[in-house]
Amino acid sequence: MDYYAGIDVGSLTTDVVIIDANEKIVGCSVVPTEANSTQAAEEALSQALRQAGIDRNRIKCTVGTGYGRISLPFADKGVTEISCHAMGSHRLFPEISTVIDIGGQDSKVIRVGKNGKVLDFAMNDKCAAGTGRFLEVMASKLGVSLDEMGNLSLMAKGMAGISSVCTVFAESEVVSLVAKNHPKDEIIKGLHCAIVNRVWSMFMSVAAGGKVTMTGGVAKNRGVVALFEEKAGSPILIHEDPQIVGAFGAALFAKRG
């Protein structure tokens, strides 16, 4: 049987998905990108191949995506991450019409049509505002892990007002709130709300009703997801590992040629 690989080289992590000829995921991995995109991709691919239990020469086609796709000399071709997230999301949830992707350094809202085709999109890639990096900086400032932020946000009885999602200005606001002994969980919920409000403005400019999915590492944060669901008025569909959806889409492009 032939196999196909998708490699998503992001700013924080590099993700690989290997699928078989039936488009079933047989191997996947997520590794830190760190300082060398090519080395990260090699390591992620090796881990995914071990999980799949196949040799590299069984991969018939490899597609790269993400900002670092230009650093993949062994990829057969590159496809934009917007197209890959749309394709991967549509394959996982055929009923969805909109994808919210919040990655390490950018955030995107994509309107998806039949067969996973991109109909429209909005993207913030100018700064870290409203991204995973923003949350990472704030988690460090508050002395909590990224994994803890979601549950703390859900437990909050109130919400601190955070007026900016600029990492520099929001950090100043957090320092000021901490100095006043404001409850940590309410500060975190305020940070989450600031992110959701920023992305929601993009959502409203692109979405056209229907069901919504969320991809990227921030989709693991239940506090952020709950606030999006409150805005949308309905549950948001999320894959068990939302970080690999872009790589899955790339693998589907590899298989479909």
Side-chain angles (χ1 to χ4, degrees), residues 95-168:
E95 68 272 37
I96 61 101
S97 61
T98 309
V99 180
I100 298 172
D101 172 56
I102 303 181
Q105 294 283 9
D106 63 35
S107 50
K108 305 176 277 291
V109 178
I110 309 162
R111 182 150 56 94
V112 184
K114 292 181 179 178
N115 301 319
K117 183 180 179 183
V118 176
L119 300 180
D120 196 4
F121 72 93
M123 182 172 183
N124 161 41
D125 62 352
K126 302 299 182 188
C127 65
T131 69
R133 177 59 182 161
F134 172 82
L135 281 181
E136 193 175 79
V137 171
M138 297 307 153
S140 175
K141 178 58 65 179
L142 290 167
V144 300
S145 70
L146 280 172
D147 291 340
E148 291 176 297
M149 292 187 88
N151 287 334
L152 286 170
S153 177
L154 291 175
M155 290 190 296
K157 294 177 180 171
M159 182 166 62
I162 304 288
S163 60
S164 176
V165 286
C166 168
T167 304
V168 176

Side-chain angles (χ1 to χ4, degrees), residues 21-184:
N22 297 316
E23 301 185 352
K24 178 185 175 185
I25 296 175
V26 295
C28 64
S29 66
V30 176
V31 305
T33 301
E34 297 181 337
N36 190 306
S37 299
T38 305
Q39 287 181 5
E42 290 279 7
E43 174 59 27
L45 181 59
S46 296
Q47 290 188 18
L49 287 167
R50 283 197 294 273
Q51 188 179 93
I54 60 173
D55 295 328
R56 189 162 175 166
N57 59 13
R58 300 285 302 278
I59 301 294
K60 186 175 182 181
C61 181
T62 299
V63 165
T65 189
Y67 91 99
R69 62 183 181 274
I70 58 174
S71 302
L72 300 177
F74 51 88
D76 295 289
K77 65 177 181 179
V79 176
T80 70
E81 56 190 308
I82 290 170
S83 294
C84 288
H85 278 270
M87 179 63 76
S89 297
H90 174 79
R91 179 67 175 77
L92 294 169
F93 304 111
E95 68 272 37
I96 61 101
S97 61
T98 309
V99 180
I100 298 172
D101 172 56
I102 303 181
Q105 294 283 9
D106 63 35
S107 50
K108 305 176 277 291
V109 178
I110 309 162
R111 182 150 56 94
V112 184
K114 292 181 179 178
N115 301 319
K117 183 180 179 183
V118 176
L119 300 180
D120 196 4
F121 72 93
M123 182 172 183
N124 161 41
D125 62 352
K126 302 299 182 188
C127 65
T131 69
R133 177 59 182 161
F134 172 82
L135 281 181
E136 193 175 79
V137 171
M138 297 307 153
S140 175
K141 178 58 65 179
L142 290 167
V144 300
S145 70
L146 280 172
D147 291 340
E148 291 176 297
M149 292 187 88
N151 287 334
L152 286 170
S153 177
L154 291 175
M155 290 190 296
K157 294 177 180 171
M159 182 166 62
I162 304 288
S163 60
S164 176
V165 286
C166 168
T167 304
V168 176
F169 293 139
E171 187 173 0
S172 296
E173 290 187 63
V174 168
V175 169
S176 176
L177 288 164
V178 169
K180 296 174 183 173
N181 292 321
H182 205 96
K184 190 179 291 185

Side-chain angles (χ1 to χ4, degrees), residues 157-227:
K157 294 177 180 171
M159 182 166 62
I162 304 288
S163 60
S164 176
V165 286
C166 168
T167 304
V168 176
F169 293 139
E171 187 173 0
S172 296
E173 290 187 63
V174 168
V175 169
S176 176
L177 288 164
V178 169
K180 296 174 183 173
N181 292 321
H182 205 96
K184 190 179 291 185
D185 55 359
E186 295 186 5
I187 297 174
I188 292 171
K189 187 170 183 177
L191 290 166
H192 288 167
C193 188
I195 288 178
V196 169
N197 285 339
R198 181 178 176 88
V199 176
W200 193 253
S201 64
M202 292 194 293
F203 181 92
M204 294 302 291
S205 71
V206 170
K211 295 193 175 182
V212 180
T213 187
M214 203 171 156
T215 62
V218 178
K220 294 180 176 178
N221 183 319
R222 283 301 309 166
V224 171
V225 173
L227 290 170

